[in-house]
Amino acid sequence: MFSYRHAFHAGNHADVLKHLVLVATLQHLLQKPAALMVVDTHAGTGLYRLDDDYSATSGEADEGILALMKYMAATPPERPATALTDYLDLVRSFNRDGARLRLYPGSPFVTQHFLRQEARDKLKLFELHPTDSQALVAHVAQLKAGRQVSVARQDGFESLRALLPPPSRRGLVLIDPSYEIKSDYPKVADCLQDSLERFGTGCYAIWYPIIPRPEAHGLPRRLKTLAQQAKRPWLHATLAIGQREEGVQARMPDEARRRPGLTASGMFLVNPPHTLKPVLAEALPQVLAALGRGRGQGFELESGN
Ligand code: SAM
């Protein structure tokens, strides 16, 4: 437990998919004037350096946000997808002082960027890792967001119950565990089932890894069944960057070859904004053009009512 540190993975292709979906979802939900409560059950540290040892060791951001930025600068699509431009502008806004990205915003910072003080939107963050929760508290303090943002070193699955339904009856829940332990998979499904009973109209966004493991394979199917049983609309988006070409693989350092890393992940949403599917249908081909590495690359978008 707790060997996972998101700093190794910050800004990788999975973060690109997750945070792109988060930006597009928030932009839609915040068009209505009533207060929005956002719960981030697995928050991480909120802000990451892309030039520290964690990031350098993994090199994951190089094949994620940094590759996307490079592609959009060198060979921009004729009509860049609006959601993608908004996401990239957001990331740039944390890097005012230079051409190279040094900071990457995690989900708490992505969300807080959009929240409105005047509407009394709220952000509730949960992070269990002792060091990362301390870092999160310190990073959130820099935001000077006052009571808009709260941080607790508590189990996000457990803590969510007490918050649903939110007083304004408008809420977005991001569930983004590390899946470090197998029990995270059934916990995610149980958490969604319980949450839908408490707050059936809430928007739920769940990230999961696409890896050859039965629990990972079964999770989106289980989530789809839960949405259907609750008679709620759902959206499933996946992004696979594929395998590196063999020549490229052979030239890589031993460590990187031994640990080929995650190549695909998915976002499953219940009660997604009705605008999200067309927004992603425009953005994901451009993301894939930037991040796709070869065999197995692709994206899928599926939805139901
Ligand atoms: N949501 C973050 C983002 O997009 O920037 C990344 C989160 S990372 C994938 C998952 C985090 O959940 C890790 O920092 C881990 O320490 C934390 N964690 C693991 N189990 C938890 C639990 N039961 N409750 C709250 N946090 C937990």
Side-chain angles (χ1 to χ4, degrees), residues 140-297:
V140 166
Q142 291 172 20
L143 290 170
K144 300 200 187 325
R147 292 172 58 184
Q148 184 184 61
V149 184
S150 68
V151 182
R153 189 181 154 199
Q154 289 169 12
D155 184 314
F157 292 122
E158 291 295 323
S159 306
L160 179 60
R161 292 166 193 268
L163 294 172
L164 301 182
S168 66
R169 297 290 194 276
R170 298 196 65 238
L172 165 64
V173 180
L174 174 66
I175 304 177
D176 179 27
S178 48
Y179 299 93
E180 193 183 355
I181 37 176
K182 251 192 341 194
S183 58
D184 273 352
Y185 294 94
K187 273 191 189 173
V188 166
D190 291 349
C191 179
L192 178 65
Q193 184 168 23
D194 178 73
S195 301
L196 282 171
E197 280 163 19
R198 290 170 194 273
F199 180 37
T201 55
C203 178
Y204 299 91
I206 295 163
W207 179 88
Y208 73 95
I210 299 180
I211 49 175
R213 194 173 181 157
E215 299 84 9
H217 198 63
L219 184 63
R221 279 198 305 231
R222 175 95 183 100
L223 299 177
K224 187 166 150 182
T225 304
L226 289 173
Q228 286 168 336
Q229 282 168 350
K231 299 190 170 42
R232 295 291 166 190
W234 55 273
L235 174 68
H236 185 200
T238 63
L239 175 70
I241 61 169
Q243 305 294 332
R244 292 186 193 95
E245 301 299 337
E246 274 177 25
V248 177
Q249 185 83 6
R251 289 194 298 277
M252 296 194 68
D254 282 355
E255 179 58 17
R257 248 184 297 157
R258 257 198 310 276
R259 303 192 326 157
L262 184 71
T263 63
S265 71
M267 284 293 284
F268 193 95
L269 290 99
V270 181
N271 297 317
H274 66 86
T275 47
L276 189 59
K277 195 174 183 188
V279 163
L280 293 179
E282 188 191 18
L284 288 179
Q286 297 180 5
V287 173
L288 193 63
L291 305 191
R293 302 189 302 195
R295 191 163 46 88
Q297 71 177 48

Side-chain angles (χ1 to χ4, degrees), residues 4 6 18-19 40-44 106-107 126-129 132 154-156 176-178:
Y4 181 93
H6 195 66
K18 185 203 315 172
H19 297 154
D40 194 336
T41 59
H42 296 69
S107 53
F126 297 98
E127 170 55 51
L128 259 187
H129 193 288
D132 283 359
Q154 289 169 12
D155 184 314
D176 179 27
S178 48

